[in-house]
Amino acid sequence: MTDDLTKAESLFKEHKIRHIPVVSGSKILGILSYTDLLRISYVDAADDEDEVVDVTVYNMFTIEQVMSKHLVTITPETTIKEAAEILASKEFHALPVCKGGLLVGIVTTTDLIRYLLEQYN
């Protein structure tokens, strides 16, 4: 929560991910997606390697202002089918996995697609 958006963008690129859980300790407060960053910047996302980010724009906002706060979470016991049904019916692509109110993981649409592909191997 205390990091800035420039740090978040760096994490997205360094780890080739599209979602970052925003936490305080292990308690999830929100999710920041790469799309959230693109919405506030004037970056053309067509070529990630040549992006020049206007840091001034990032400095105008905090992670708390940009992240999604209204989360739908699942538990480790949630079935793959249930997770897929949630993602198919909503306009987001990541589900925090929480146990006892604490973040223990994250499931994305990409994870579900990879799982499905593994079933055909």
Side-chain angles (χ1 to χ4, degrees):
M1 179 69 89
T2 58
D3 289 327
D4 60 28
L5 293 172
T6 303
K7 167 82 183 245
E9 187 205 25
S10 166
L11 290 171
F12 285 128
K13 289 182 175 182
E14 178 183 344
H15 297 286
K16 295 181 170 60
I17 56 176
R18 297 285 179 189
H19 303 88
I20 298 174
V22 180
V23 297
S24 176
S26 294
K27 184 174 180 350
I28 186 157
L29 305 174
I31 290 239
L32 182 68
S33 73
Y34 191 62
T35 303
D36 294 332
L37 282 188
L38 293 177
R39 282 188 190 124
I40 65 163
S41 67
Y42 303 108
V43 176
D44 179 6
D47 188 357
D48 287 350
E49 293 180 6
D50 294 331
E51 281 184 9
V52 177
V53 175
D54 185 354
V55 176
T56 305
V57 173
Y58 286 169
N59 290 337
M60 294 170 56
F61 298 94
T62 65
I63 286 180
E64 185 174 10
Q65 290 172 309
V66 179
M67 72 181 187
S68 298
K69 297 174 190 150
H70 303 290
L71 300 176
V72 174
T73 63
I74 58 175
T75 69
E77 292 76 34
T78 302
T79 67
I80 292 168
K81 180 179 185 268
E82 291 168 327
E85 287 170 341
I86 293 168
L87 290 171
S89 67
K90 304 293 183 186
E91 292 185 21
F92 49 81
H93 301 280
L95 289 169
V97 180
C98 296
K99 184 173 186 175
L102 300 179
L103 179 69
V104 295
I106 186 169
V107 173
T108 67
T109 51
T110 302
D111 294 329
L112 294 178
I113 291 168
R114 285 185 181 137
Y115 174 82
L116 179 64
L117 290 172
E118 286 175 10
Q119 303 313 300
Y120 289 96
N121 290 331

